[in-house]
Amino acid sequence: MLSRSTAPAAGQQRAARASFSPLRPPGPIARRRSRCVPRHRRAAAAGDAASGAPALAPAPAAAAAAVASPGTKGGAFDYAAEWWPLAFAADLDREAPNRIMLLGEPLVVWWDGAAWRCFADRCPHRLVPLSEGRINAAKRLECAYHGWEFSGGGSCERVPQGGGGASPRACATAYPARLRQGLLFVRPKPEAGPGAAAADESKIPIVEEFEDPAWVAQDTFRDVAYDWTTLMENVLDASHVPFTHHKSISNRNVIGDYVTTLDGPVTAAGFTGIWPTGPRGGALGPQSGTFRAPAFMHQKIDMREKRGAESMVVVYAVPSSPGRCRILNRNAFRFAKARLPAVVARLVPAFMVHLGTQVPLEDDVIFLHLGEEEYLKARARGQAVGQAYYCPTQADAYVLAFRRWLDDFGGGGPWGSPDAAFLGRIGPRQSRDALLDRYAGHTASCARCQRALRRVRLARRAVGVAAGAAAAAGLLAAAVAVCLAAAAAGGAAGAAGGGAGGAAAAALSALSWFAGAGGAAPGAAAPAAAGAAAARALGWGAAAALLWWLANGALGALESAFYKGQYPPPRNTDKA
Ligand code: FES
Ligand SMILES: [Fe+2]
């Protein structure tokens, strides 16, 4: 445990947190974490060597990749030196640690009260995942195993069992994390020295257009069981859209030419190109494509002439592990004059956008998962891209350009060139049910959908309780009406017409009025009034049951949309 004299005062910590902005270079927190030196330097720390303690676990292969000539033809590509988007910040849970895979390494992302933090998901004590811990009242990440506490910079602030927290070896491995355009970007290398991460920030792959607030983006994400390279190839390929996404977002009966050409050669930075006709047989306008190395692309449709607007599909392909990736997708538009579409789009709840956009993502998932294995088998047999694929038309220009970038400049990808070993690492093929598991691929790691799902469940329960109570009240009122009518009729037969019979008649009258049957007539008319009151009460009960059935059905369908994708996909059930 840190002594009182070495632990920062709470006031100092608050001041440090308050002065930190993710949009500014690290301030006091970064300085305070100076004892958490980069991992490769820690391994050689004299104190550790002198202690005879075992060496630190090796850094992940991707993070430790030696780079001969980054970004040059035939050279390796240092994927860990890139800024990678991990999630839309609004989808992260601020109250608990979030575990996210990147480049084969599990990361833990958490909110320290002032900024998002990103550590290797590994406690320095006994290597269990920090994401299984909690964010405690002091806004520190607390390990679930023995309660070590880490501040945002990675320093170990408390070892409940005793000393040792001041050693650099007690630090969590912290990576630079920055928030840009609503996305949390992480550079999965420990900071190499003061100012290094700040100098790198110009390389964060933002969308220049989104600096203009007139652009409106609807965002979603999905973890899928195919490689980021397969995803990038897929989203660069416009010609699949009408067929794969028929009836979800497109129409296979409205197609034109797909003559796509590159603007120039493929370079280390990527490439751009143009499809002059554009989608829907040219009804919208030309579509330009951009691939920015290593894993960012957007396709922009210039509809200004025909629709007075522009639209853009932006995709970041996040390499989670071999054969697994996270899709970060932004569908955006900007109208030149009309204001209403932007207003309406901003009003749509995020969970509705998320659920709606899962459908097209599920249109592809099964065949991409299976096709990827065939591609890797062909490459493992020694076939080049052009031998594995037969691509006779210009429609595949971007696909082949991306594969060229990957082989020429990208070192084959962070897992190396496609070969038998790569094929082995992607694991066995999954079932349709597993591939369409929307809860595992999205809802489980989306704070906004988790919130919405809780509310839907609550609404479903509330509707059930309210409808049950209304139906029971209706039945009870009907039964009471019948009983009171019988009692009132008995009273009317008596000479005085008062006493118990009179009281029953009065009660029946009140009940009838309540049930909307008008005042009950005394004496012989009582049974008829009672019948009307009972019928009304039963009607109320039936209406409540019907409303419950409808509301429960709608809410049930909504609830299941958080869990499962649809099979067969919409394109296969439509005959047109
Ligand atoms: S493993 Fe984390 S505190 Fe022991
Ligand atoms: Fe969501």
Side-chain angles (χ1 to χ4, degrees):
M1 184 187 299
L2 292 176
S3 70
R4 284 188 185 283
S5 60
T6 56
Q12 283 177 305
Q13 290 179 31
R14 274 195 301 275
R17 283 198 295 271
S19 67
F20 183 86
S21 160
L23 299 179
R24 293 201 304 270
I29 288 180
R31 284 197 295 277
R32 188 159 55 81
R33 72 185 173 203
S34 59
R35 63 185 156 86
C36 293
V37 295
R39 184 161 213 149
H40 62 277
R41 280 195 250 150
R42 259 191 278 152
D48 292 331
S51 72
L56 291 170
V67 179
S69 47
T72 57
K73 201 161 186 174
F77 189 95
D78 188 355
Y79 287 86
E82 298 293 312
W83 286 96
W84 293 95
L86 293 186
F88 297 102
D91 294 334
L92 291 168
D93 190 343
R94 285 192 175 207
E95 308 300 322
N98 303 264
R99 180 179 163 100
I100 301 175
M101 294 294 295
L102 176 65
L103 295 171
E105 183 182 13
L107 305 177
V108 56
V109 170
W110 62 287
W111 177 253
D112 74 353
W116 287 104
R117 302 297 188 170
C118 180
F119 297 170
D121 193 13
R122 199 170 46 240
C123 178
H125 178 213
R126 298 257 293 278
L127 307 182
V128 305
L130 289 166
S131 57
E132 286 300 310
R134 66 177 187 130
I135 300 166
N136 65 19
K139 295 293 178 193
R140 294 173 184 159
L141 183 57
E142 183 181 302
C143 180
Y145 206 177
H146 309 96
W148 288 25
E149 296 179 20
F150 303 91
S151 59
S155 297
C156 180
E157 304 292 351
R158 182 168 178 260
V159 176
Q161 295 78 14
S167 164
R169 288 200 58 193
C171 294
T173 304
Y175 299 130
R178 302 288 183 270
L179 198 58
R180 293 286 186 280
Q181 297 184 335
L183 278 165
L184 182 69
F185 288 88
V186 166
R187 187 172 174 270
K189 272 192 163 182
E191 288 176 281
D200 253 346
E201 287 180 27
S202 64
K203 293 184 180 171
I204 295 176
I206 59 169
V207 182
E208 299 299 339
E209 283 84 345
F210 291 173
E211 297 296 294
D212 175 358
W215 277 92
V216 177
Q218 293 187 316
D219 305 326
T220 195
F221 75 92
R222 176 81 174 230
D223 293 319
V224 290
Y226 49 81
D227 201 65
W228 73 280
T229 51
T230 301
L231 169 62
M232 188 49 65
E233 183 185 277
N234 169 254
V235 291
L236 284 166
D237 166 16
S239 69
H240 83 284
V241 174
F243 299 97
T244 300
H245 302 296
H246 175 70
K247 278 292 176 188
S248 58
I249 54 169
S250 192
N251 185 342
R252 62 189 165 215
N253 299 309
V254 185
I255 60 169
D257 75 64
Y258 286 92
V259 180
T260 308
T261 51
L262 298 186
D263 295 332
V266 176
T267 70
F271 58 83
T272 61
I274 184 77
W275 173 24
T277 303
R280 298 193 200 170
L284 302 179
Q287 177 169 306
S288 56
T290 298
F291 165 69
R292 184 168 157 191
F296 166 54
M297 81 98 217
H298 60 76
Q299 306 250 26
K300 186 174 180 182
I301 307 173
D302 186 349
M303 305 184 290
R304 283 175 293 185
E305 209 172 277
K306 297 183 176 174
R307 304 284 170 96
E310 298 159 277
S311 77
M312 191 153 53
V313 174
V314 176
V315 173
Y316 295 92
V318 185
S320 307
S321 59
R324 301 283 184 279
C325 74
R326 169 168 283 196
I327 304 166
L328 292 168
N329 170 216
R330 319 193 82 161
N331 299 318
F333 62 85
R334 176 174 67 176
F335 276 81
K337 293 194 180 113
R339 297 276 175 270
L340 191 60
V343 172
V344 172
R346 288 190 173 107
L347 287 175
V348 180
F351 82 90
M352 296 293 285
V353 172
H354 287 192
L355 294 183
T357 46
Q358 295 305 304
V359 177
L361 297 178
E362 287 154 356
D363 285 341
D364 310 275
V365 68
I366 295 171
F367 65 72
L368 290 180
H369 175 75
L370 297 173
E372 172 174 288
E373 186 184 42
E374 295 305 315
Y375 173 76
L376 290 174
K377 281 180 186 168
R379 295 300 302 269
R381 285 195 297 269
Q383 293 184 346
V385 177
Q387 293 170 306
Y389 288 161
Y390 174 55
C391 300
T393 75
Q394 277 296 107
D396 291 314
Y398 291 172
V399 171
L400 298 178
F402 169 66
R403 289 289 175 187
R404 202 174 313 139
W405 177 87
L406 196 63
D407 283 350
D408 286 356
F409 300 100
W415 338 114
S417 295
D419 56 17
F422 187 152
L423 185 59
R425 285 200 296 273
I426 65 171
R429 299 299 80 190
Q430 296 188 0
S431 68
R432 276 180 190 152
D433 278 354
L435 294 168
L436 294 173
D437 187 340
R438 195 179 284 179
Y439 189 88
H442 177 85
T443 308
S445 40
C446 177
R448 288 193 283 190
C449 283
Q450 284 289 323
R451 260 197 308 276
L453 180 56
R454 277 196 297 275
R455 286 174 188 157
V456 170
R457 284 187 189 133
L458 198 64
R460 220 177 155 188
R461 273 201 293 274
V463 165
V465 169
L475 283 173
L476 188 65
V480 169
V482 169
C483 293
L484 289 176
L508 175 60
S509 178
L511 184 65
S512 300
W513 177 85
F514 180 71
R536 293 254 177 184
L538 283 174
W540 280 23
L546 180 65
L547 279 176
W548 168 81
W549 184 75
L550 291 172
N552 188 53
L555 288 169
L558 182 56
E559 186 176 344
S560 68
F562 287 95
Y563 288 91
K564 272 279 159 225
Q566 172 187 344
Y567 193 85
R571 65 174 180 271
N572 288 2
T573 52
D574 183 53
K575 299 293 177 209

